[in-house]
Amino acid sequence: MNIQDPQLARWQRFRNSRNTALADAHGWLTLTSFQWLEDQPAGVELAPGLWSTDGTTAFLTAAASDGLSLMDTGEPVDGTVSAVLADEESLMWVQYGGDDGRQVVVELAMRADKYAIRTRDSKSPVFTEFNGVPTFGFRPDLAVEARFVPYAQPVDVPIGTANPLVDGVHRSVGELVFRLPGKDHEFRLQAEEEKLGALTVTFHDETNGESTDEWRKVSTARPRPDNTVILDFNRAINYPSAFTPYGTCPMPVKNNSLDYRIEAGEKEPALF
């Protein structure tokens, strides 16, 4: 393919943006722990202070000498602070460490109706040694037209996640129906709706566990007036759980498995 091909150039811009986003100072590549909070104040790994929850509220007790400060105000934590989240919400709560007191951010999260914390360390080797996600070469034949068949009403489908202790829900809004090169049957993938009507599908394929992670996802633009979209598998990306053991990323719904080798998009990063 000519290097000036507009389709290839758009994909290269997409890849550059993707790698830049992953290189955020306290992004997914910086996760160093996932820990549930107990009902009595207790120490945790990799962060100072005493942490607890009564089931509805999370609490942190620390002295100024612990070096913790609130993310939103920069105010030192000296005493007890609290926060309340709804299920699936997260809060970049406090920070500490390093010359500027901001090397590590502690994220408070509510998962499966339980409070947990995740430490995000900007000195994590997974982050500092990152130089881009490996990908397959660009495959124009794996950017296919699909037909979106919406459901009358969204359907909530129970799913697993990358953390066996956390269950998830896939809100299916319809199916993407399409064909792939060399196959004489149609494929159907259940989709979720994202911002501005865009669609995302989470899928398995026959490269999983070999050259790719156990599952990936790909997003489309909002369907056209005739309900068609371009489903471009060159834009298939890994969930954060491909880069870290501390993710709670959603698995595909049961039927979102392709009997096909999608040799396009991101490969397994093999970082841990």
Side-chain angles (χ1 to χ4, degrees):
M1 178 177 288
N2 189 306
I3 193 66
Q4 300 302 319
D5 184 280
Q7 193 179 13
L8 177 59
R10 284 193 296 271
W11 178 68
Q12 290 170 329
R13 288 195 296 271
F14 169 80
R15 291 302 323 151
N16 289 338
S17 296
R18 165 70 170 159
N19 286 326
T20 298
L22 280 171
D24 183 74
H26 288 105
W28 294 112
L29 301 184
T30 67
L31 291 181
T32 51
S33 74
F34 179 101
Q35 304 170 73
W36 298 108
L37 298 190
E38 303 293 340
D39 60 3
Q40 297 294 322
V44 297
E45 294 182 7
L46 306 180
L50 299 176
W51 305 73
S52 64
T53 177
D54 63 5
T56 59
T57 305
F59 301 95
L60 163 61
T61 300
S65 58
D66 287 322
L68 289 160
S69 64
L70 294 170
M71 281 287 292
D72 59 351
T73 65
E75 181 182 355
V77 178
D78 189 7
T80 299
V81 294
S82 63
V84 176
L85 300 178
D87 197 34
E88 294 302 315
E89 285 187 337
S90 292
L91 169 68
M92 298 302 182
W93 197 10
V94 294
Q95 58 194 353
Y96 69 95
D99 294 337
D100 60 1
R102 295 187 291 184
Q103 176 182 323
V104 180
V105 167
V106 183
E107 170 197 3
L108 179 69
M110 174 75 90
R111 298 292 183 269
D113 292 314
K114 295 186 292 185
Y115 279 105
I117 60 166
R118 287 194 283 211
T119 49
R120 294 172 178 252
D121 188 343
S122 59
K123 299 297 186 185
S124 164
V126 174
F127 172 67
T128 58
E129 297 172 13
F130 176 69
N131 61 0
V133 187
T135 68
F136 293 97
F138 185 75
R139 287 277 302 272
D141 59 328
L142 288 180
V144 300
E145 185 171 86
R147 183 177 78 258
F148 177 54
V149 181
Y151 297 149
Q153 297 291 334
V155 178
D156 287 344
V157 182
I159 55 171
T161 74
N163 185 320
L165 299 178
V166 178
D167 293 328
V169 174
H170 183 285
R171 175 154 286 191
S172 299
V173 296
E175 297 178 354
L176 288 174
V177 184
F178 56 97
R179 293 182 181 272
L180 290 169
K183 290 287 189 177
D184 58 4
H185 65 273
E186 287 187 329
F187 295 90
R188 305 178 79 95
L189 293 177
Q190 292 183 49
E192 289 186 291
E193 187 173 72
E194 306 294 345
K195 293 179 181 178
L196 304 177
L199 301 173
T200 294
V201 291
T202 302
F203 67 95
H204 293 293
D205 73 90
E206 292 183 350
T207 66
N208 294 166
E210 297 177 12
S211 51
T212 63
D213 195 45
E214 294 302 323
W215 64 88
R216 294 179 288 169
K217 68 176 178 178
V218 61
S219 297
T220 76
R222 182 186 183 121
R224 303 168 180 136
D226 65 356
N227 268 356
T228 59
V229 296
I230 297 300
L231 184 59
D232 187 354
F233 285 103
N234 293 287
R235 298 192 177 211
I237 63 173
N238 294 316
Y239 273 98
S241 54
F243 303 98
T244 170
Y246 307 116
T248 57
C249 304
M251 292 180 175
V253 295
K254 183 178 179 180
N255 295 324
N256 274 20
S257 295
L258 303 174
D259 59 336
Y260 196 90
R261 294 184 66 82
I262 300 292
E263 294 179 323
E266 291 186 350
K267 294 182 177 180
E268 185 170 24
L271 292 173
F272 68 91

